[in-house]
Amino acid sequence: MNISAMPGTILLVDDDPHIRQLLVFAFGKAGFGTLEAGDGEEALAQVERHAPDLVILDINMPRMDGLEVCRRLRATSEVPIFFLSSRDDEIDRVLGIELGGDDYVVKPFSPREVVARSMAILRRTGSRSGSSASPADTVTVLRHGLLSLDPESWTAQWHGHEVGLTVTEFTILRTLLAGPTRIFSRDQIIDRLRGPGFALTDRTIDSHVRNLRRKFAEAGGSDLIETRAGIGYRLGTCTGATAQG
């Protein structure tokens, strides 16, 4: 298979060959190239060797589970990660998100849904699988205080220093920056991320916000996002002052 001719390359990581086969067929039908790995160590080698556009990652695998694979990937890469879980356990889901995952689905799942949600992630990253942007779609760098976001390169900076974000973290921050004085409810943020009806929870959004606060606090940005109790979140002053709320 000539994966370079495909609209995008998906790495499928699961110790169950039947699940990998289902996803290979579904993604192939949608025009994607696919790579496979049956365990975590092979997954890490595939990412280093082929630099896929997206990783579909099973959480429960022998030898090295998906959460450990995610930890290691996030140390060197911002490749989008889509978790597969065999347990309907929100704690596992939230932990996966806090480690840097972009989405998740619980087994048994619909392969078509996995493909559709993967395409949504890839469109947000401007991947080869996404639609081409026209000149009219070009967006300039967005700024607020010491914060700047570049939607073209999907990079964030605080006072000139780059802060590595996942796709979902960047999208949440861009949503807040689009209305810096506006308070966004968690439901409104979920709608911006996935579109109405996707199986995200308030707790998942809270986990992403915690990640954002931690990353920017390490860069000196302690006032990135404000919490409005019972309502939602609003962009902070982004001046480096102590955050409120």
Side-chain angles (χ1 to χ4, degrees), residues 9-13 33-37 42-44 46-47 52-57:
T9 304
I10 312 297
L11 173 59
L12 308 170
V13 187
T34 54
L35 302 164
E36 298 181 52
E42 185 182 359
L44 294 174
Q46 290 277 43
V47 170
D53 297 288
L54 175 71
V55 177
I56 306 291
L57 183 60

Side-chain angles (χ1 to χ4, degrees), residues 46-96:
Q46 290 277 43
V47 170
E48 184 173 356
R49 190 177 306 123
H50 296 290
D53 297 288
L54 175 71
V55 177
I56 306 291
L57 183 60
D58 184 32
I59 290 180
N60 299 298
M61 294 186 295
R63 298 174 61 189
M64 183 189 299
D65 66 21
L67 298 179
E68 179 60 25
V69 173
C70 182
R71 285 190 189 95
R72 298 194 185 192
L73 285 177
R74 281 292 169 258
T76 59
S77 172
E78 295 300 330
V79 60
I81 296 174
F82 191 152
F83 280 111
L84 305 178
S85 176
S86 59
R87 294 184 295 173
D88 191 8
D89 188 332
E90 190 178 59
I91 294 176
D92 279 354
R93 298 180 194 176
V94 172
L95 178 57

Side-chain angles (χ1 to χ4, degrees), residues 1 13 87 95 108 139 166 175 188 196 220 223 232:
M1 177 185 298
V13 187
R87 294 184 295 173
L95 178 57
V139 181
T166 67
T175 297
Q188 288 172 328
D223 58 339

Side-chain angles (χ1 to χ4, degrees), residues 1-6 8-10 24 27-28 31-36:
M1 177 185 298
N2 180 10
I3 60 175
S4 64
M6 295 295 178
T9 304
I10 312 297
V24 165
F27 278 105
F32 288 87
T34 54
L35 302 164
E36 298 181 52

Side-chain angles (χ1 to χ4, degrees), residues 10 32 53-54 80 118-127 129-130:
I10 312 297
F32 288 87
D53 297 288
L54 175 71
S118 297
M119 291 176 70
I121 293 173
L122 291 170
R123 278 195 295 270
R124 293 199 302 274
T125 63
S127 165
S129 63

Side-chain angles (χ1 to χ4, degrees), residues 175-195:
T175 297
L176 298 178
L177 185 51
T181 62
R182 175 183 173 185
I183 300 173
F184 289 85
S185 70
R186 291 168 178 82
D187 285 343
Q188 288 172 328
I189 294 173
I190 289 172
D191 288 348
R192 296 293 183 93
L193 286 171
R194 316 293 186 207

Side-chain angles (χ1 to χ4, degrees), residues 141-178:
V141 174
L142 306 174
R143 303 182 189 279
H144 180 73
L146 300 178
L147 172 68
S148 63
L149 297 183
D150 185 347
E152 293 284 319
S153 62
W154 286 78
T155 56
Q157 291 190 347
W158 180 268
H159 208 189
H161 299 285
E162 185 170 341
V163 179
L165 304 180
T166 67
V167 177
T168 303
E169 291 164 1
F170 185 95
T171 306
I172 290 175
L173 199 51
R174 182 178 179 179
T175 297
L176 298 178
L177 185 51

